[in-house]
Every structure is written in structure tokens, then in C-alpha cells.
Amino acid sequence: LCGDSIEILQGMLKIVKPDLVVLNLSDMPEIAGELLQLLEEKDSSVPVITIVTDEQSQQYKEYLQKKQFEKFSAPIRRAELVSRCFTRLNISEAEMRGETQLQSGGKSSLNRKKRILIVDDSPLALRTTRAVLGNRYDVVVATSAKQALQIMKTERPDLILLDYEMPDCDGKMTLQKIREDKNLCDIPVIFVTGVADKDHIAAVLGLNPAGYFLKPLEKEKVLSAIEFIIG
């Protein structure tokens, strides 16, 4: 969920303590050293999988030789990375394949469709996001904060994608209303914003969301991030 900015990563680490960090240093060579140092200083017990170039492997070997950091050379195959993440998270192969069954013999809890509420005043944005998520999740949409809060009373979502720039009741005000409701306050909320400047993003992170996406949404990044948060 983080961009190539030290400030954004610092903000995200204030919001949540991750079980695992995957860091593609080959995409951000200018700040690679600072990122490794930050993660070690923040919590050296959190495992970090790093994807590095051969040059970076030598340049930062003082970090990459430590137990906290696991090194892969770029490019890395997706299947290999996913498998290694499951291993570091102590998830079995059966769970990874979705074979864990309920003791009652019912459907796997891993196969239950999670519900996502998308809140955006743009019909085009709603259609686009729904198209991205619809095959994997039970998607519900709302065009205003008022409508979203009404929906949540009867169709509690597992996660909310919330547009930050909305008229009347913007994303900040909407999140405050959600957090004030004892029945809704624990639902993870991801902000979606079309503004990419650092001050704006810092304001978004100050509200302690589960994360944020920039418009236009990148399908694979969105799906990967949501799966990380709610499965």
C-alpha cells in the first residue's frame, strides 16, 4: 500500500504493525538504504522480504545478511514470492490452497466471499471499481455517505473503499461517523483519492485508514492489497 516515499512508509507503520513486509527495492533505488534502516529501527522482529538488483545486493549486504531480511533477486516469479510469503507467515500448504474445512464439514471459511462497500459520488468510478472487484468479492455500492451508513446497518461490509473527495460529507467526515458507531468502528477503511501530493496523502494517513489508493486504480495492486487486508 505504500508509495516510494519514506514519509508514507513511516505513516503506514504508525497505522498498523505488519506481520510481514515485502519491499521491492529495485523499484526505488534512491531510498533503498533509508527503507531498510527504517524497518530495522522500527521493529527488527518483523520479517522483511526484499527484492533487489545484483548491485543492491552488494550495496546493502550489511542489512541483507541479517535474520530480519530475506533476499530475492529481481525479477522474481510471482508464484515463488507468494509461496515464500505463506511460509514466513507460518501458513500451511493446505491453507494456501484453500483446503481447510470447517469442523462441521461445511464450506471452507477461506472460500467465503467477503463483502466490500464502495463509496464514491462518481458513477463511472463505481462501475470501474466494481468491475475490478466483482469476480472475487460481494460488492455493494453507495454514492454518498448517508447512503453508505444506511447500507452498513443491514449489510455490514468486511472492508470499505471510501472516496476522499465527495461533496456534502467528504471521506474524512464519513470515516469519523463510522468510527463513532460502535457496531461499525472496527471495519477497515481504505481511502481512494485522486490527489497525489504529499501533504494531501499525509492528511489522509492522519485519519488512520487501513491504507489508500490513488486514482486511477491499478487492478492487480488493488486486488493484492485487499486480499492482504481481508483475505
Side-chain angles (χ1 to χ4, degrees):
L1 297 182
C2 301
D4 53 350
S5 164
I6 291 290
E7 292 79 11
I8 292 175
L9 181 57
Q10 287 174 325
M12 292 301 298
L13 290 175
K14 289 178 182 178
I15 294 171
V16 63
K17 182 183 184 301
D19 298 301
L20 174 70
V21 175
V22 179
L23 203 59
N24 190 354
L25 295 179
S26 63
D27 280 349
M28 34 191 155
E30 297 84 1
I31 59 172
E34 294 177 83
L35 290 172
L36 293 170
Q37 182 179 359
L38 172 63
L39 289 167
E40 182 182 46
E41 292 176 350
K42 187 68 178 178
D43 190 343
S44 61
S45 68
V46 176
V48 181
I49 291 178
T50 60
I51 303 169
V52 298
T53 63
D54 291 340
E55 182 180 349
Q56 288 174 326
S57 180
Q58 292 299 316
Q59 188 175 359
Y60 303 113
K61 64 180 180 180
E62 63 174 296
Y63 289 105
L64 300 178
Q65 289 174 348
K66 296 178 180 179
K67 184 179 179 180
Q68 180 183 12
F69 300 96
E70 182 171 0
K71 180 185 68 175
F72 285 97
S73 296
I76 181 174
R77 291 190 306 114
R78 178 185 175 90
E80 182 182 6
L81 177 60
V82 170
S83 176
R84 193 57 196 159
C85 286
F86 275 99
T87 299
R88 293 301 295 266
L89 292 169
N90 296 316
I91 297 174
S92 71
E93 289 187 15
E95 289 175 311
M96 184 169 68
R97 293 192 300 268
E99 293 176 357
T100 300
Q101 299 292 318
L102 300 175
Q103 289 185 353
S104 62
K107 290 184 178 180
S108 166
S109 61
L110 295 178
N111 292 331
R112 181 180 72 84
K113 264 198 172 184
K114 300 293 182 69
R115 177 176 295 145
I116 296 178
L117 172 62
I118 308 169
V119 188
D120 200 311
D121 62 312
S122 166
L124 176 60
L126 289 175
R127 287 196 301 271
T128 302
T129 309
R130 189 169 195 165
V132 169
L133 304 176
N135 289 334
R136 295 194 187 186
Y137 300 97
D138 177 15
V139 177
V140 183
V141 300
T143 57
S144 68
K146 181 179 179 180
Q147 187 182 34
L149 292 167
Q150 289 175 335
I151 289 172
M152 280 185 262
K153 291 178 181 179
T154 57
E155 299 183 76
R156 176 186 167 89
D158 296 288
L159 180 139
I160 302 168
L161 281 180
L162 179 60
D163 183 27
Y164 191 78
E165 298 89 24
M166 293 190 297
D168 300 326
C169 186
D170 64 14
K172 178 180 180 180
M173 296 169 63
T174 305
L175 180 58
Q176 288 172 340
K177 291 178 183 292
I178 293 170
R179 294 292 179 253
E180 289 168 2
D181 190 323
K182 64 180 182 180
N183 296 317
L184 307 174
C185 62
D186 60 336
I187 300 173
V189 175
I190 294 178
F191 275 123
V192 180
T193 176
V195 183
D197 83 277
K198 289 185 177 181
D199 289 341
H200 183 84
I201 292 173
V204 170
L205 292 177
L207 299 172
N208 294 336
Y212 78 95
F213 295 133
L214 290 175
K215 295 180 179 179
L217 300 180
E218 297 180 36
K219 180 177 179 179
E220 292 304 319
K221 183 179 289 188
V222 170
L223 291 173
S224 177
I226 291 177
E227 185 172 352
F228 177 80
I229 295 172
I230 64 171

